[in-house]
Amino acid sequence: MSPVTHDEWLRRAKAPTVHGAHHIDGRDEPGGGATFAVVSPRDGQVLTEVADGGPAEVDAAVAAARRAFDTGPWPRLAPADRGRVLLRLAELLEEQRESLALTVTLEMGKPITDAHDIELRAAINTFRWYGQLADKLTDESPHTAPDALALVTREPAGVVGAVVPWNFPLTLASWKIAPALAAGCTVVLKPSENSPLSALLLGRLGTEAGLPPGVLNVVAGDGPGAGRALGLHPDIDVLAFTGSTAVGRHFLHYSADSNLKRVWLELGGKSPNIVLPDAPDLEKAAATAAWGIFFNQGEMCTAPSRLLVHSSVAEQVTEAIVRRARELRVGDPLDPATEMGALVGEAHLGRVLDHIGTGREEGARLRTGGTRVLESTGGTYLAPTVFDQVGPGSRLAREEIFGPVLSVLTFDDVDEAVRLANDTEYGLAAGLWTSDLTTAHRVSRALKAGTVWVNCYEEGDLTVPFGGVKQSGNGRDKSAHALEKYTDLKTTWIQL
């Protein structure tokens, strides 16, 4: 945990390190002159104006990345040399950890403690892990007849377009960039227009770490402008996207309408968290459920937004969560004691409040929260919200809210719990609480999700893959499997 006090964070926030230019071909580029304001959800104040990229800026960035891939040194470096640059970038992120954490908090409302201890830790560890992995990969030589030699080599796929959201702006960017760079690809990153500042700083640090010009480019702009231009660009070989399912569909259309680039999608979720009556610790299960839905203001694709709890313990577990929600400290994200900060902006807060209104209209019971708070600050804060008596077919139970809103549903047996859990178009993550080993294995296998946590939630490290099934996407971030998205397999058959 950073030792910086609330007063010191406030002082630093008055003069934050922010840059509004794109980072293209190893240098800052102002673009065509158009800009957009980055507004802090903490207090509604404009942080700075940022260059607004569109097709022209994307063309310049992709051209730089194409030159760097086709004729530059990066894909041709020994893997160990690429790894050393990624390790140096991890060191620079560590050196700039407090400044980057402040930037993340100011642009998207995350509590400073979470930005420093979780967001930055994840980004630093990601570049370090892939830097260490870069020279550990091997090719294959299958056994053939004695008169031939077969080689299967894994080669960098080319120019990667990475489009990432605002909720974990550095973590999710690093999950795309680090394996792509380790594989020898070059990258054009488009961060969310809500949180471009930390990504622009990351681009500059990449150049400082020793990435050759054009290897890592960052273009700020919105989805219809810069995002669409990336998706349609004929010189992008691979497009990696994290965001909503609706926007993911657009990128598949862009691919079909252009060069059939591979599109890897990590999309939304409506993750079930199943609590059986034999859970090893019901209080811990309730506390973890509350932490999971309110962490990062509920702005997480994996948030356990559907609590499926056995009817015999439903009231006990729900009451414990309601109690925790009422005790949760919502406030200034620059205060290290704050547990839940501001939602990312007015428009998003309005959408979450609309979902809450729909839940009440559908007949769900509001147990706590449901209202905007701290409005006098100018920020976009919402009280932690819990509904029970939620119908499984209701919008509250089926649509991704992306806010601190928990829906509690009950069941009477394990088979019903599995049916409820899988009754969704999503399949990103799930949780299960039980003391029975056989139940843990059987239910985990039956759940249609990319990750299942048993007697915990949101645990894991970089050794395990992350991603979803069904309309939660395809492909995997993290682990060695992430490299599969950014490499091509080539077979060479030599007749002896």
Side-chain angles (χ1 to χ4, degrees):
M1 178 181 294
S2 171
V4 180
T5 65
H6 187 195
D7 288 342
E8 176 61 16
W9 284 124
L10 290 172
R11 187 190 67 79
R12 295 185 190 184
K14 293 178 180 177
T17 303
V18 292
H19 300 279
H22 311 294
H23 193 73
I24 299 174
D25 209 13
R27 58 184 180 271
D28 290 348
E29 294 288 351
T35 63
F36 64 91
V38 178
V39 177
S40 176
R42 173 180 170 262
D43 56 9
Q45 298 299 306
V46 173
L47 292 171
T48 191
E49 295 284 331
V50 171
D52 191 4
E57 290 75 19
V58 168
D59 282 345
V62 174
R66 175 55 62 191
R67 287 192 301 272
F69 184 79
D70 288 347
T71 63
W74 186 252
R76 296 156 190 85
L77 284 179
D81 293 333
R82 290 201 296 265
R84 277 188 279 272
V85 177
L86 296 184
L87 290 172
R88 176 56 183 153
L89 178 51
E91 292 175 359
L92 292 175
L93 288 170
E94 186 68 72
E95 292 172 10
Q96 298 295 319
R97 187 169 186 167
E98 291 182 353
S99 176
L100 286 162
L102 175 62
T103 301
V104 168
T105 290
L106 290 176
E107 66 184 351
M108 61 78 54
K110 186 192 303 284
I112 190 67
T113 300
D114 291 347
H116 183 276
D117 295 356
I118 298 176
E119 176 94 13
L120 267 296
R121 180 189 65 195
I124 292 164
N125 287 347
T126 299
F127 282 104
R128 184 172 291 139
W129 198 85
Y130 284 102
Q132 294 169 339
L133 181 68
D135 63 347
K136 311 295 189 301
L137 305 173
T138 58
D139 293 325
E140 303 171 26
S141 181
H143 289 181
T144 63
D147 62 347
L149 173 66
L151 302 175
V152 180
T153 53
R154 191 173 287 278
E155 302 183 350
V159 178
V160 174
V163 181
V164 297
W166 43 261
N167 57 329
F168 289 90
L170 289 178
T171 298
L172 298 178
S174 67
W175 284 4
K176 313 295 189 200
I177 295 169
L181 294 181
C185 296
T186 58
V187 178
V188 178
L189 171 68
K190 194 214 80 75
S192 166
E193 61 271 28
N194 289 313
S195 60
L197 302 176
S198 54
L200 293 169
L201 288 169
L202 175 62
R204 295 178 181 89
L205 290 177
T207 297
E208 185 179 342
L211 292 174
V215 172
L216 176 57
N217 310 274
V218 185
V219 176
D222 64 12
R228 182 174 184 274
L230 262 183
L232 288 169
H233 206 289
D235 265 341
I236 293 289
D237 299 297
V238 176
L239 195 292
F241 170 73
T242 293
S244 71
T245 300
V247 176
R249 287 192 176 93
H250 285 304
F251 279 107
L252 290 175
H253 284 293
Y254 299 153
S255 172
D257 291 342
S258 56
N259 61 339
L260 294 179
K261 59 179 64 66
R262 279 165 287 171
V263 177
W264 299 106
L265 302 173
E266 194 268 282
L267 305 175
K270 192 69 176 177
S271 299
N273 187 20
I274 302 170
V275 180
L276 297 176
D278 70 341
D281 186 337
L282 286 174
E283 282 296 320
K284 181 180 178 182
T288 304
W291 172 84
I293 188 59
F294 302 135
F295 171 62
N296 210 56
Q297 301 74 247
E299 296 166 328
M300 291 203 308
C301 50
T302 56
S305 53
R306 288 188 298 149
L307 180 68
L308 309 182
V309 57
H310 193 275
S311 55
S312 66
V313 295
E315 183 55 31
Q316 176 185 347
V317 173
T318 304
E319 181 56 38
I321 294 171
V322 169
R323 185 171 62 250
R324 173 62 182 141
R326 290 170 177 166
E327 295 170 350
L328 199 69
R329 182 164 179 172
V330 181
D332 182 3
L334 291 180
D335 185 347
T338 290
E339 296 173 284
M340 200 175 92
L343 274 68
V344 74
E346 287 285 349
H348 182 60
L349 173 62
R351 286 190 291 270
V352 175
L353 287 170
D354 284 345
H355 278 288
I356 291 171
T358 298
R360 301 178 83 160
E361 292 168 3
E362 291 177 328
R365 181 171 62 171
L366 180 64
R367 294 290 296 267
T368 191
T371 58
R372 183 173 187 168
V373 295
L374 305 175
E375 190 168 1
S376 63
T377 66
T380 45
Y381 300 89
L382 181 68
T385 301
V386 178
F387 282 96
D388 67 359
Q389 300 180 7
V390 176
S394 66
R395 291 177 60 191
L396 199 63
R398 304 192 70 82
E399 296 182 4
E400 184 178 36
I401 298 175
F402 221 66
V405 181
L406 179 66
S407 299
V408 181
L409 297 84
T410 60
F411 61 88
D412 293 318
D413 58 56
V414 173
D415 290 341
E416 183 185 6
V418 171
R419 286 195 301 271
L420 286 171
N422 289 336
D423 185 21
T424 173
E425 65 188 23
Y426 298 109
L428 189 57
L432 171 65
W433 296 81
T434 180
S435 294
D436 186 271
L437 185 60
T438 296
T439 299
H441 281 292
R442 285 180 175 169
V443 174
S444 296
R445 291 178 181 180
L447 293 173
K448 305 302 182 185
T451 300
V452 178
W453 289 289
V454 179
N455 296 332
C456 62
Y457 207 89
E458 288 292 347
E459 298 294 338
D461 59 25
L462 283 158
T463 64
V464 293
F466 174 80
V469 297
K470 299 196 287 187
Q471 292 189 37
S472 287
N474 53 53
R476 294 296 181 264
D477 289 327
K478 297 171 56 187
S479 83
H481 293 285
L483 292 158
E484 297 164 9
K485 300 192 296 187
Y486 307 115
T487 53
D488 291 322
L489 292 178
K490 175 183 285 184
T491 295
T492 303
W493 186 276
I494 303 171
Q495 195 68 42
L496 301 180

